[in-house]
Amino acid sequence: MEITGLFFLAALMIASFAGLESKLGRTDRQIARVELKLDLILDHLGLHQDDPHFPEVTALLREGKKIQAIKAYREATGAGLREAKETVERMG
């Protein structure tokens, strides 16, 4: 009987973690959509922000090392691949 209880508890914990991961994924996608919309609004208004916080990314872009620049941006910000690629392309 004790093993059955442990099995049930483990299954419950796994289900809880799966639900939490799903919610976090949805939240990340929602944030990415909001950031994309904000970027579009800024572009439409002609407002561009040069990021002085990323001298390494800028230097890599000047050297023509786009992939390394994307990697550096991701490391600095924790951004996803798509967001980092889009941002670096706008910077360059």
Side-chain angles (χ1 to χ4, degrees):
M1 187 96 124
E2 202 171 296
I3 292 175
T4 305
L6 289 175
F7 179 74
F8 179 72
L9 181 61
L12 183 62
M13 289 177 64
I14 290 171
S16 295
F17 287 129
L20 180 62
E21 184 178 350
S22 173
K23 287 180 184 179
L24 289 175
R26 271 187 267 140
T27 302
D28 287 344
R29 287 189 300 274
Q30 288 173 338
I31 290 172
R33 282 195 302 268
V34 169
E35 288 176 342
L36 178 61
K37 289 176 184 179
L38 181 58
D39 288 340
L40 290 171
I41 291 168
L42 290 173
D43 285 343
H44 179 74
L45 295 174
L47 301 173
H48 300 283
Q49 177 181 354
D50 294 330
D51 255 328
H53 306 290
F54 305 113
E56 180 183 3
V57 175
T58 306
L60 288 167
L61 278 174
R62 286 186 191 131
E63 295 172 13
K65 298 179 180 179
K66 183 178 171 182
I67 293 172
Q68 289 85 353
I70 292 169
K71 287 180 183 179
Y73 183 87
R74 290 186 72 196
E75 289 174 6
T77 63
L81 180 59
R82 185 176 185 179
E83 177 188 348
K85 182 180 179 285
E86 291 171 355
T87 303
V88 168
E89 286 176 346
R90 280 194 304 270
M91 291 172 73

